[in-house]
Amino acid sequence: MTKQELKELEDRLWQAADNLRANSGLKASQYSAPLLGLVFLRFASIKYKKHQDEIEAEFKKYKGTRNEKSIESISQSICGYYLPEKSRFDYLLNLNTKKDIPQAIKTAMEEIEKYKPELAGSLPKDEYLELKSEKEVDFGLAKELLQIINDIPEEANGDIFGKVYEYFLAKFALAEGQGGGQFFTPASVVQLMVEMIEPYGGHILDPACGSGGMFVQSSDFVEKMRLHHQNEDAEPLQIFGCEKDRETVKIARMNMFLHGLNNNIVNANSYYDDVFESFEKFDFVMANPPFNVDDVNLSCVKDQKRFNKYGIPQNKTKKSSRKSDRKNKETVPNANYLWINLFATSLNEKGRAALVMANSASDARNSEADIRQRLIEDGIINCMLSLPKNMFYTVTLPATLWFFDRARCDDKRILFIDARNIFHQVDRAHREFTPEQIKNISCIRHLYYGNTQYMTDLLGEYSLKIETFTAEALVLETARNQKQKARDVLVTKLEKLTDKASNEGLIPSKQTEKELKQADKDLKDAEKEYAEADGLWNEKVSEVRYFESNHQWLNDRFPEKKYEDVTGLCKVATLDEIAEQDYSLNPGRYVGVVIEEDGLTEQEFHTEMEQRHTALNKLNQRARELEDLIEQNLKNIWE
C-alpha cells in the first residue's frame, strides 16, 4: 500500500466513523475506545486467518497421538495468540442486526483476553454497550461501525494497522480537546526525539507513556537501522511504561499488540510509584509528561532517592486543588522538575533521554533554578531545542525538548538549537516537522559530535532524490506537452467545425451537429487529461524544488560540512557562558536572532513562491487561450 493509498484509506475511515459518531450523539471520549478496539480486532482476525490453515493442519497432525496438543497452544506458538470463532471479525460482521451485536463484541473481547493474559483488562468491552439504546431494535450503529472497519483491506499488515491506529489516536486527541493530549504526542515530534537520542536497543522507559507512541517510533528506528545494516547486533528494545489513566493503558497495550511489541506497561502514577525501581537502570528514557502540575504531595516524594540527587522543589505550602481534600498539604510547587529529576536519575552510565517540557522550566526561578544549576554543572544536559508553536493538537503552550546523555557528562558544554522557524504548516492551527526537517535538525547534533559522514550521506540522499525526481519530471513534462498538443489540435478542430456550422446557417446539418458534439466531448476529455498531466508534472517539480531547498539549507549553514555556530539556529555554550546567563536553558538567549524583513521562514518563502509561480503559469496559459479566441473572433467579424 502506497503512502497516498494509506492516506486515502485513513481519511475515508475517519470520515465514515466521524459521521456515524455525529449521528449517534456519542462524545469522542465515548466513541474512541470502541472504534480503536475494532481496529485491533480486525488486525487480530486478519493475522489469525493467515495462519489458520497451518494451525488446523498442525492440530489434525497430532490429534489422537501421544503428542496431541490443544488448538489453543498450537495457535499461541504459531500466531502468538488464539482467536475463538466468535471473536473473529467476520463472525461479528455477519451477525444479523436483530442480534445483540454490542453484547457479541463484548463477549468476543472477553474471549480474547481469556487466551491472551497479557491483554487482560485492556480491551474495551462495556463500552460497546453504549452503542445501543432502549429505542434501538436492530443494533444498526454497532453494525455500521463494523462495516466501516471492514474497509481496512485484508492484505494490510501490522505496520498499516499501526499507522491507521495512530491516525485515529491523533484525530481523537484533536476531537477531545485539552483532555485528549494526555495520550498522544504528534508523531513528528516523537520522531525528532528518537533521531536525536538514537535508541539502538536495550531497556527503554516512558514514565508517562500515554498510548505508547514513543515506543512505536523507537522500535521503528531500531528496525530502520537494521535494514541499513547498522547496529545489527543490538539487542531488541525492552519496553517499560507507566500511565496513570487506566483507560489510556488499555489503548497503549492494544497499540503495542498491533505493532508486535512485547511490553510491560502498567497503570501507575510515576510521582508516587517507582514500579520499575528506575534509579540508574535504563538505557533510554523518553516522555511527554504533563506540564506545570502543582498538587503533588511533597511527603510522598521527598524521601525517594530518584528525586533527591539534584534536589526537590519545596519552597511553598499550599492547599491541594482536589476538592475532596479540605486540609492544607505541603505540595511540590511545580512538578516539572520532578520529571526532569526522574529522567536524569533513571539513566545508567551510558544512558540517553529526551523529554518534552514547558518553556517556563528553562528559566524557572527559586529552588528550580538551584536544581537546574546542579544539572548543568553535572554535565548531564547535552542539548536544548526550542519547538515551534502549535506543534501539539491539544495545547498551545510553547515547549522545549531536553536531551540528556550520561556518557558525555565530562563535556560541560550544551548544544542549543532554536527550531521555532522550522516547520511545515498542516493547517491554520497546526504544524509539524517533515522527515527532511527532522534529518536536518539531527544533522546539527551529528556534526556537533564530529560525525561529518552523516551530513555527507544526507546530502547524497538529497542529491539522488533531486536527480531521480528531475528525470521523472522530464518524462512527465514530455507527456504533458503531448497532452497539450493534443488539446490544441482539438481546439483547432472545434473552431473549424464552429465556423462550418455558422456557414451552414441558423440550423446546421445533423452531421455537423454530431461532429460538433463529439469534438466538444473530445476536447473536454483532452482538457481533463492535460490537467491531470499538468498536475503530476507540477507535483514532481515541487518535489525537486523541495529537496533542492533542503540540500541548500544544509550547505548554506554548514558549508565546511562540520559544526559551526549559526546565528538564529544553533550555538554551543560553555559552562561559563551559561553561568553568565544565570543558568538559563532558553535557546533563544544563546543562538541570537535573524531578522526576516518579510516575516516568513525560508520554507514559507519557497512555498509561497512556488504557489505564485504555479498561479502565474495558469494565468499565462489562460491569457494565451483568450488571445487566440479574440483573434479568431476578430477574423470571423472581418470575414
Side-chain angles (χ1 to χ4, degrees):
M1 182 175 285
T2 65
K3 288 184 179 179
Q4 182 59 34
E5 289 171 337
L6 175 61
K7 180 67 168 60
E8 291 172 356
L9 172 65
E10 290 171 338
D11 290 343
R12 188 170 67 250
L13 287 170
W14 175 255
Q15 183 176 4
D18 199 43
N19 286 341
L20 188 57
R21 179 200 59 80
N23 294 330
S24 71
L26 295 175
K27 298 177 182 178
S29 57
Q30 295 173 291
Y31 202 68
S32 55
L35 179 64
L36 294 170
L38 290 182
V39 173
F40 164 88
L41 186 59
R42 175 72 171 149
F43 168 73
S45 298
I46 288 175
K47 182 181 177 183
Y48 189 83
K49 186 182 292 187
K50 290 177 180 177
H51 295 286
Q52 191 169 352
D53 289 344
E54 183 183 358
I55 291 169
E56 292 177 354
E58 185 86 357
F59 177 69
K60 290 177 182 178
K61 178 180 177 181
Y62 292 103
K63 187 176 182 181
T65 70
R66 288 188 304 171
N67 297 323
E68 184 174 349
K69 303 175 184 176
S70 68
I71 195 163
E72 295 87 354
S73 64
I74 294 171
S75 297
Q76 289 281 0
S77 62
I78 293 176
C79 183
Y81 55 91
Y82 172 61
L83 204 61
E85 182 179 355
K86 291 187 177 181
S87 294
R88 297 169 194 172
F89 192 88
D90 286 347
Y91 169 82
L92 297 169
L93 181 68
N94 292 324
L95 287 176
N96 189 289
T97 52
K98 299 300 181 183
K99 300 285 186 180
D100 191 340
I101 298 176
Q103 180 60 49
I105 299 175
K106 177 185 176 182
T107 302
M109 296 297 185
E110 290 172 339
E111 287 296 301
I112 293 174
E113 289 186 350
K114 177 180 176 181
Y115 295 102
K116 189 71 174 175
E118 305 95 294
L119 289 173
S122 300
L123 303 183
K125 293 178 281 290
D126 290 336
E127 290 89 340
Y128 293 101
L129 303 184
E130 295 181 14
L131 297 178
K132 62 181 181 180
S133 68
E134 295 178 359
K135 296 180 180 179
E136 280 189 287
V137 177
D138 61 356
F139 308 109
L141 181 60
K143 181 75 171 182
E144 287 185 62
L145 191 56
L146 285 163
Q147 290 170 335
I148 289 168
I149 303 304
N150 190 52
D151 278 351
I152 301 177
E154 290 207 359
E155 61 269 18
N157 57 24
D159 185 53
I160 297 300
F161 268 89
K163 291 187 186 311
V164 170
Y165 192 86
E166 289 171 16
Y167 177 82
F168 278 142
L169 283 174
K171 285 291 190 180
F172 279 122
L174 187 60
E176 290 182 38
Q178 187 74 22
Q182 65 186 337
F183 62 80
F184 185 78
T185 306
S188 71
V189 174
V190 181
Q191 287 164 6
L192 175 59
M193 296 168 70
V194 168
E195 288 287 342
M196 291 289 281
I197 69 169
E198 298 183 303
Y200 284 114
H203 293 68
I204 183 169
L205 168 70
D206 185 339
C209 69
S211 60
M214 302 282 180
F215 299 135
V216 172
Q217 296 295 341
S218 298
S219 177
D220 287 348
F221 177 84
V222 172
E223 186 59 29
K224 182 178 70 174
M225 291 299 101
R226 288 204 181 101
L227 290 174
H228 288 81
H229 307 291
Q230 300 178 35
N231 278 51
E232 292 177 296
D233 298 329
E235 61 176 300
L237 280 176
Q238 298 185 50
I239 291 169
F240 298 84
C242 294
E243 171 55 46
K244 69 181 181 65
D245 184 81
R246 190 179 301 275
E247 295 306 309
T248 305
V249 170
K250 297 178 182 180
I251 292 174
R253 289 175 179 169
M254 287 192 288
N255 198 9
M256 296 302 99
F257 181 92
L258 287 173
H259 286 88
L261 299 176
N262 292 324
N263 66 89
N264 188 354
I265 294 178
V266 298
N267 180 209
N269 186 324
S270 290
Y271 298 131
Y272 307 132
D273 304 316
D274 188 11
V275 291
F276 301 122
E277 298 179 350
S278 61
F279 189 78
E280 297 185 351
K281 176 178 179 178
F282 287 92
D283 299 293
F284 304 98
V285 185
M286 297 179 67
N288 174 17
F291 298 165
N292 303 323
V293 177
D294 62 359
D295 59 355
V296 176
N297 191 326
L298 177 61
S299 65
C300 294
V301 298
K302 66 180 182 180
D303 295 326
Q304 295 191 44
K305 181 168 61 171
R306 57 190 178 140
F307 294 132
N308 275 280
K309 182 174 181 179
Y310 299 102
I312 299 177
Q314 48 178 312
N315 59 341
K316 292 181 181 179
T317 300
K318 61 186 295 183
K319 192 173 181 179
S320 171
S321 63
R322 296 188 183 97
K323 292 182 179 179
S324 61
D325 189 352
R326 298 301 180 184
K327 295 181 180 180
N328 287 342
K329 287 184 178 179
E330 190 174 2
T331 60
V332 176
N334 188 304
N336 288 344
Y337 272 81
L338 284 182
W339 289 112
I340 293 168
N341 261 314
L342 190 156
F343 275 69
T345 59
S346 294
L347 297 176
N348 60 30
E349 67 278 4
K350 293 184 179 179
R352 297 193 291 270
L355 74 152
V356 186
M357 186 49 63
N359 276 6
S360 57
S362 302
D363 289 304
R365 308 310 302 161
N366 303 317
S367 61
E368 287 97 331
D370 297 332
I371 297 170
R372 188 170 62 251
Q373 180 176 342
R374 294 185 197 110
L375 287 160
I376 293 169
E377 291 176 342
D378 183 60
I380 192 172
I381 301 175
N382 177 252
C383 177
M384 298 290 296
L385 187 149
S386 294
L387 289 170
K389 297 177 183 177
N390 299 330
M391 293 292 283
F392 296 85
Y393 289 97
T394 54
V395 294
T396 56
L397 283 175
T400 302
L401 299 183
W402 294 51
F403 298 97
F404 299 158
D405 192 338
R406 281 285 302 275
R408 293 178 177 270
C409 284
D410 291 338
D411 184 357
K412 305 296 183 181
R413 298 177 302 165
I414 297 177
L415 171 63
F416 290 93
I417 300 175
D418 189 342
R420 287 177 294 176
N421 291 324
I422 304 173
F423 57 83
H424 167 68
Q425 195 75 36
V426 179
D427 53 43
R428 184 182 60 81
H430 299 105
R431 297 168 172 174
E432 67 180 11
F433 292 123
T434 68
E436 287 66 39
Q437 288 170 339
I438 292 171
K439 293 175 184 177
N440 292 346
I441 295 171
S442 300
C443 185
I444 300 173
R445 168 187 166 272
H446 280 282
L447 292 176
Y448 170 55
Y449 283 178
N451 180 11
T452 58
Q453 188 61 43
Y454 184 93
M455 180 171 174
T456 300
D457 292 344
L458 187 55
L459 289 174
E461 177 186 325
Y462 291 162
S463 295
L464 180 60
K465 289 188 176 181
I466 292 167
E467 182 180 334
T468 301
F469 291 146
T470 298
E472 292 175 359
L474 289 172
V475 172
L476 290 170
E477 185 177 26
T478 300
R480 170 180 171 269
N481 292 340
Q482 290 173 346
K483 300 292 184 185
Q484 186 176 18
K485 288 179 181 179
R487 183 199 64 178
D488 292 345
V489 168
L490 288 169
V491 168
T492 303
K493 180 179 179 180
L494 185 61
E495 288 172 349
K496 289 181 179 179
L497 284 170
T498 302
D499 290 343
K500 180 180 178 182
S502 63
N503 292 334
E504 290 179 2
L506 295 175
I507 304 177
S509 67
K510 290 183 178 180
Q511 180 62 29
T512 301
E513 282 188 347
K514 182 179 178 181
E515 291 176 355
L516 271 170
K517 287 182 181 179
Q518 185 60 47
D520 184 61
K521 180 181 179 302
D522 292 342
L523 180 57
K524 287 179 180 178
D525 291 341
E527 289 279 7
K528 182 179 178 181
E529 291 180 5
Y530 170 74
E532 290 174 354
D534 185 58
L536 291 172
W537 176 76
N538 275 307
E539 286 178 11
K540 197 60 64 175
V541 169
S542 294
E543 287 180 322
V544 172
R545 291 173 179 163
Y546 172 73
F547 283 101
E548 285 177 341
S549 68
N550 279 285
H551 193 284
Q552 184 178 352
W553 191 93
L554 282 174
N555 269 329
D556 287 350
R557 286 155 182 78
F558 308 102
E560 302 298 323
K561 293 183 176 59
K562 62 182 181 180
Y563 178 82
E564 57 186 272
D565 293 340
V566 179
T567 302
L569 177 63
C570 58
K571 160 77 176 177
V572 175
T574 64
L575 189 57
D576 287 341
E577 289 174 315
I578 297 170
E580 288 176 5
Q581 295 291 337
D582 293 327
Y583 294 94
S584 167
L585 288 177
N586 185 338
R589 287 199 180 198
Y590 300 92
V591 304
V593 294
V594 176
I595 299 175
E596 301 280 355
E597 292 184 1
D598 56 10
L600 299 175
T601 66
E602 185 173 5
Q603 184 188 352
E604 288 175 317
F605 172 77
H606 284 297
T607 299
E608 184 168 329
M609 290 305 295
E610 283 185 17
Q611 292 172 344
R612 291 185 180 186
H613 184 254
T614 300
L616 179 61
N617 283 339
K618 291 181 179 179
L619 289 171
N620 287 338
Q621 178 63 37
R622 181 59 180 159
R624 286 191 290 270
E625 292 172 357
L626 290 172
E627 285 177 3
D628 292 341
L629 181 60
I630 291 169
E631 184 177 353
Q632 185 60 46
N633 287 340
L634 288 173
K635 285 182 180 178
N636 291 339
I637 292 172
W638 292 331
E639 292 175 356

